[in-house]
Amino acid sequence: MRLKTFQAATMTEAMDLVRQSLGDEAIIVSTFTHRNGAGVEITAAIEQQSEDDFATPEAQALRYGQGNGRLFVPEDDFAPQDEQHVGDLILGALNWHGVPGRVAERLTQAALRVGLDDPVGALAEALDETYRFPGLSTDNRPLILIGPPGSGKTVVAAKIAARCVIERRAVQVVSTDVSRAAAGEQLAALCRVMSAPFIEAVDARELHHVVGETAETSKLIVDTAGINLHDAAERKALKALIQASGAEPVAVLAAGTDAMEAGELAAQAVALGARRYVATRLDAARRLGALVAAADLGGLAFADASASAFIGKGFERCDALMLAHRLLADPDARSAVDPETDMQYFSPKPAALKAAE
């Protein structure tokens, strides 16, 4: 989704700007008339189409619910030499991303059993068989976002709220992050732009009261402070907030972190009741081993992913095919195994090579 604000002297002129910039399919999110005849302001949104520019044409054409129920259908002429190439490519890429060794070996073996000469398709099948990809629910089930500091919970909360606004669904955003000075101001400002109700709750008792005052027809989104999930006292305080909210805890974890650490954080989130997680910073991280580890070692299911800090861009659907694309997209990941020497190596970017000279 893409959000954009337009200013003009009259409502008619502002609407013309919306149509010229976003087209006739744009949805009006909010309008505001300035005092003393200073003009009007309109915030509009439009769904953005993402391009799988790193996907093969065959991969782009095959999605869930087609063929015999699988993501891909193997070719009849799949040969042993193709199997060796596919296995080396997948294992090398997973190792390059920092996926734990045993997990990488298991996924590679699962991919080879698929019987495809397309690495993306084979890996997608293996991921689909191994993990769950339920996505974020679009109903009014209340959500409370949990995770370590800096993982992107506030941005995720704002994106969920933006989705509700665009779909013309009632929403209530709550922040319990009182650990930092003016911590809720960012989320409050984003909610004002979207005309989404926002309130702060300082503790579990106040949060329980806010939840009781929220209409059942409203989507409740609770943003919490980042905590050390390894600390028992901080987990206890967070658990009190989760119980007071009555909401489903959804973990938020950033890509690019250490895979084993992400797996342990995911396990702590599961102990607090989380069953799904939102992956963030996909636009800023190259190595995505943490995403696989959170699902494998921690046991979390994949929800949507955030590939941009821009609220209007919304989420990227995280399914097995999308994850396989990203794991094999980087040229360095695809060349992580030299077919001539069968040796794994890290191929630095041109900037890294220049710096080393």
Side-chain angles (χ1 to χ4, degrees):
M1 292 173 288
R2 177 188 177 194
L3 283 175
K4 192 171 182 180
T5 300
F6 302 86
Q7 293 180 334
T10 66
M11 184 66 68
T12 301
E13 293 177 0
M15 289 299 299
D16 288 339
L17 292 176
V18 171
R19 295 190 184 93
Q20 292 172 12
S21 179
L22 302 181
D24 294 332
E25 296 182 357
I27 299 172
I28 304 303
V29 176
S30 65
T31 61
F32 177 74
T33 302
H34 294 277
R35 295 181 179 180
N36 302 322
V40 298
E41 184 176 292
I42 295 179
T43 299
I46 190 170
E47 189 73 20
Q48 280 190 321
Q49 300 295 327
S50 59
E51 296 181 359
D52 294 326
D53 56 348
F54 48 82
T56 63
E58 293 78 14
Q60 291 180 13
L62 291 166
R63 297 288 178 176
Y64 284 97
Q66 297 185 12
N68 59 1
R70 298 177 57 169
L71 301 181
F72 296 87
V73 179
E75 298 289 345
D76 294 334
D77 58 352
F78 183 63
Q81 60 266 28
D82 296 325
E83 178 179 349
Q84 180 66 39
H85 171 72
V86 169
D88 288 346
L89 183 57
I90 292 175
L91 182 59
L94 293 177
N95 287 332
W96 184 87
H97 280 283
V99 175
R102 292 182 181 179
V103 178
E105 290 280 357
R106 178 157 36 86
L107 286 174
T108 301
Q109 292 303 315
L112 291 177
R113 288 194 296 271
V114 173
L116 284 173
D117 57 0
D118 177 8
V120 173
L123 182 55
E125 285 282 4
L127 293 169
D128 191 55
E129 292 176 0
T130 308
Y131 308 119
R132 294 168 294 130
F133 300 84
L136 278 175
S137 56
T138 57
D139 54 23
N140 277 351
R141 182 187 309 173
L143 302 177
I144 181 168
L145 305 176
I146 65 175
S151 58
K153 295 182 296 299
T154 298
V155 171
V156 170
K159 287 190 174 187
I160 298 175
R163 174 188 288 180
C164 292
V165 170
I166 291 175
E167 295 174 352
R168 300 185 184 279
R169 296 162 52 207
V171 61
Q172 173 66 66
V173 182
V174 184
S175 174
T176 65
D177 190 356
V178 296
S179 60
R180 296 175 290 123
E185 286 189 1
Q186 178 189 9
L187 186 55
L190 292 171
C191 287
R192 282 196 297 270
V193 172
M194 298 182 289
S195 297
F198 171 83
I199 193 171
E200 286 186 315
V202 298
D203 54 26
R205 179 179 299 180
E206 190 168 325
L207 177 59
H208 181 73
H209 175 74
V210 170
V211 172
E213 295 294 319
T214 302
E216 293 184 0
T217 55
S218 295
K219 175 78 169 182
L220 178 67
I221 306 165
V222 182
D223 181 28
T224 64
I227 72 161
N228 177 8
L229 288 170
H230 300 305
D231 185 271
E234 294 191 33
R235 289 200 309 271
K236 183 178 180 180
L238 179 57
K239 185 176 181 179
L241 291 172
I242 295 173
Q243 292 174 338
S245 70
E248 176 196 355
V250 174
V252 179
L253 302 172
T257 58
D258 178 77
M260 295 302 295
E261 179 70 14
E264 292 179 359
L265 291 173
Q268 295 290 2
V270 169
L272 288 168
R275 295 296 179 265
R276 299 178 293 173
Y277 86 100
V278 176
T280 60
R281 296 185 184 174
L282 267 70
D283 56 327
R286 293 183 64 201
R287 289 175 170 82
L288 307 178
L291 305 189
V292 178
D296 197 286
L297 306 181
L300 288 173
F302 290 91
D304 293 344
S306 176
S308 171
F310 177 48
I311 305 302
K313 193 170 183 180
F315 293 104
E316 182 173 340
R317 179 71 176 94
C318 186
D319 56 24
L321 186 55
M322 170 273 210
L323 186 57
H325 284 163
R326 286 189 172 271
L327 289 170
L328 294 172
D330 196 298
D332 291 348
R334 296 182 69 92
S335 63
V337 173
D338 188 322
E340 296 297 328
T341 62
D342 198 31
M343 293 179 61
Q344 297 180 13
Y345 67 96
F346 291 96
S347 176
K349 287 290 187 182
L353 286 172
K354 187 178 297 184
E357 293 177 352

